[in-house]
Amino acid sequence: MSEPSPLSTDQRAELPADRYSDRELSWLSFNRRVLDLARDAPRVPLLERARFLAIVSSNLDEFFMVRVAGLKRRIAAGVAVPTSLGQMPRDLHDTIMSNAQQLVSEQSDTFQQQVRPELAEHGIQILSWDELTADEKERMRTLFSERIFPVLTPLAVDPSHPFPYISGLSINLAVLLRNPLTGGRQFARVKVPTVLSRFVDLGDSRFVPLEAIIGRHLDQLFSGMQVLQHTTFRVTRNEDVEVEEDDAENLLFALEKELLRSKIGRPPVRLEVEDDIDEDMLALLRMELDVSEKEVFRLPAPLDLTGLFGLAAVDRDDLKSPNFLPITHPHLAGVETAQPADMFAALKHRDVLLHHPYDSFATSVQRFIEQAAADPAVLAIKQTLYRTSGDSPIIDALIEAARAGKQVLALVEIKARFDEQANIAWARKLEQNGVHVVYGMVGLKTHCKLALVVRDDGDGLRRYAHIGTGNYNPKTARLYEDMGLLTANPIITDDVARLFNHLSGMTQEVHYRRLLVAPHGIRQGLIERIEQEITNKQSGLDAGVRIKVNSLVDEKVIDTLYRASQAGVPVDLWVRGICTIKPGEPGLSENIRVRSLLGRFLEHSRLFWFANDGSPHVGIGSADLMHRNLDRRVEALVSITNPTHIAQIQRLFEIAFADDTVAWIKSPDGWTPRTTTADGTPLRDMQEQLIQETAQRRRWVEGTKP
């Protein structure tokens, strides 16, 4: 590939100042697309729609805990630097809160007016206390006495009892009491316990919120007092953990200390209350929690629709997507037989490109690590661990390998957001069992998905590697769409080995032959490839850019894509979440198309395709096009050269951008869902098409078995 000349400063200056969408508002637009799925009846089954409502709430929780909290931190610090769109932080906060209020209102309406009534029509009822039968009420009184009352801690507020600390995301009852002896009024708080199910199963698909049961029995908690009124509320706090790595002698201990400190003292960023809350009670909560009126979200009960995750799991297959069973990749099909095929023998003959969850994770990546752990010819295993499951067979395999005397290195990213505590526990368990554990590099998160196996094949040592787009998590591998390459290619495995040495030994390695590695090489490498497409187009050669990522924010990459569009290069961008590029703008981005595809699986793979005059440059990897990925994380992309694999990735883009595929299309005016033709005929769902193809492949494989 020839080296194109970088775009000059003068060229970049020609681009309009308003060429980016705001990142935070783009994220809210993404969550609105998730809400679209909750409203998409009958295409999306009812319990799946309930699950999407829960995902909207879960996403919003993280958005407030991290993004809004960071913005409030800037405001509190007096930072007066405008955003990339020229807005001051306080003005942006106002805009975000207004948009979030509208989104939450639509979510609530979807639940109360569509999903909840439809659930009731199908015999799944969420009831208030007054809607329970006499028998159900009696059973709930017994449940309260035996299982709920013992774990409750009522906290009153008076001169000797200060206003209690309200933990983030907990559901609480605010209670107004009256002392019958003095006539005085008093506020109290009761935290709804998280150790019990949020929606209590009454039997026959009838459920009652746990807080409704507690609310009905408050007189037992406050005996001798008169309960005047009660309501539920929920606080969201800043939960973003920060560690001063340069000053920490031991990163693990420093993070543990910060996690302990973060359990208290984190300022609130949102207050959710029932819409009929007493104004005096709300005023007290606002004053004690120090939240503004715009940070108050008034909603009908029940609050916190993440509780619908449990409800969506009820045993009603008729209201869910059909069960899906992944299939072993054809080149690894022997691992399903009574005598598992030798993974390493298979990889000597060919690279294997995996597409999860359609290709089984258990019989590919997981089997790769497990076989390496048990194989006496394997001498060493090295692996990155960013997130994994609580009962991970991969962790068990690494421990087994270390106990067998193999050299095992685990690079555990203990700063993975919201998984810090779990990863600390894994790091300690691995260390205690003889695994060499490192925590990456100071100032960087290790987000790349790499595994390396060194094996004595008899004719010499050979290395085998896996480079993926998703975490080594068997549970999410059934829910997330990801890709991965299993290979014994000596050039790739040498690159992976040198990258591991860089991470564990602190080398200064920055040059690789088949990998692009952040923070030094991915942004520049991708920009060079885009600029090559510009050069090809200007020379009359075949040119094009196709990119699939979770988020597209990086201004330098976006500007280069704008330049490509201006040069006539067709640019197709498949972006699940945040996307700040503006397609379809006259003179700027007429040749840029942006699609977002959402469905039963979380689209998570990162794919990069460049036409290169008919000899495409193609890569997969862990990096999104965001500042954090390109500047503050160790990420890796691997080039794909097998023509069959390239065709497989090209086909995914062709389906995603076909006119008859369900998608959300971004235009200068925002996102527009496309689910039917003009006459109302449903369009094809890409994920469902791939599921059907997987089922056909399974039938073909099973039909050829002896």
Side-chain angles (χ1 to χ4, degrees), residues 547-593:
I547 295 175
K548 177 180 186 288
V549 288
N550 297 324
S551 299
L552 172 58
V553 173
D554 188 77
E555 291 87 355
K556 291 181 180 179
V557 173
I558 289 175
D559 284 356
T560 312
L561 292 171
Y562 281 142
R563 293 296 180 192
S565 174
Q566 290 176 326
V569 177
V571 177
D572 286 343
L573 304 174
W574 180 357
V575 185
R576 186 191 83 225
I578 304 169
C579 181
T580 61
I581 199 169
K582 293 182 176 181
E585 294 278 5
L588 177 68
S589 54
E590 299 103 319
N591 294 302
I592 296 177
R593 297 190 298 174

Side-chain angles (χ1 to χ4, degrees), residues 111-262:
F111 173 65
Q112 298 290 353
Q113 299 174 18
Q114 298 178 35
V115 173
R116 188 174 188 174
E118 289 180 44
L119 287 170
E121 289 175 10
H122 288 85
I124 301 174
Q125 296 177 282
I126 303 173
L127 307 167
S128 67
W129 178 265
D130 292 336
E131 292 174 305
L132 304 188
T133 66
D135 175 67
E136 288 170 338
K137 289 180 179 179
E138 186 58 35
R139 285 192 287 122
M140 291 305 101
R141 291 188 185 99
T142 301
L143 177 71
F144 180 83
S145 299
E146 295 180 354
R147 301 280 299 168
I148 301 175
F149 181 83
V151 299
L152 297 179
T153 304
L155 297 173
V157 177
D158 61 25
S160 64
H161 299 87
F163 192 87
Y165 180 80
I166 309 297
S167 53
L169 303 187
S170 62
I171 301 174
N172 303 270
L173 273 72
V175 186
L176 184 61
L177 304 169
R178 178 180 177 275
N179 188 323
L181 299 178
T182 65
R185 296 191 174 195
Q186 194 170 2
F187 174 86
R189 171 257 191 160
V190 180
K191 181 178 179 179
V192 177
T194 57
V195 294
L196 302 172
S197 298
R198 170 69 191 291
F199 290 107
V200 178
D201 189 351
L202 300 166
D204 297 326
S205 298
R206 291 165 61 85
F207 299 87
V208 60
L210 180 57
E211 61 268 27
I213 300 173
I214 298 172
R216 181 60 182 82
H217 297 87
L218 288 173
D219 56 331
Q220 296 184 38
L221 285 172
F222 302 99
S223 58
M225 300 289 285
Q226 180 183 1
V227 178
L228 298 178
Q229 58 178 279
H230 72 273
T231 189
T232 54
F233 70 98
R234 183 172 183 259
V235 175
T236 310
R237 294 184 179 273
N238 177 347
E239 299 290 347
D240 201 13
V241 176
E242 297 179 341
V243 178
E244 295 297 332
E245 298 180 46
D246 293 332
D247 297 332
E249 293 184 11
N250 184 303
L251 182 57
L252 186 145
F253 290 137
L255 184 57
E256 284 186 313
K257 182 178 179 181
E258 177 61 21
L259 286 170
L260 181 62
R261 189 192 71 80
S262 69

Side-chain angles (χ1 to χ4, degrees), residues 509-552:
E509 182 67 72
V510 294
H511 299 291
Y512 304 90
R513 288 177 288 176
R514 289 281 297 275
L515 297 183
L516 291 178
V517 178
H520 301 292
I522 291 182
R523 178 189 285 112
Q524 187 57 35
L526 293 177
I527 286 176
E528 287 176 0
R529 282 157 176 75
I530 299 168
E531 290 180 345
Q532 182 65 59
E533 297 305 306
I534 296 174
T535 300
N536 289 347
K537 185 67 177 180
Q538 293 171 339
S539 301
L541 304 177
D542 183 31
V545 175
R546 295 171 175 174
I547 295 175
K548 177 180 186 288
V549 288
N550 297 324
S551 299
L552 172 58

Side-chain angles (χ1 to χ4, degrees), residues 433-446:
N433 285 276
V435 176
H436 300 295
V437 178
V438 294
Y439 309 125
M441 307 181 72
V442 172
L444 300 174
K445 283 186 179 180
T446 304

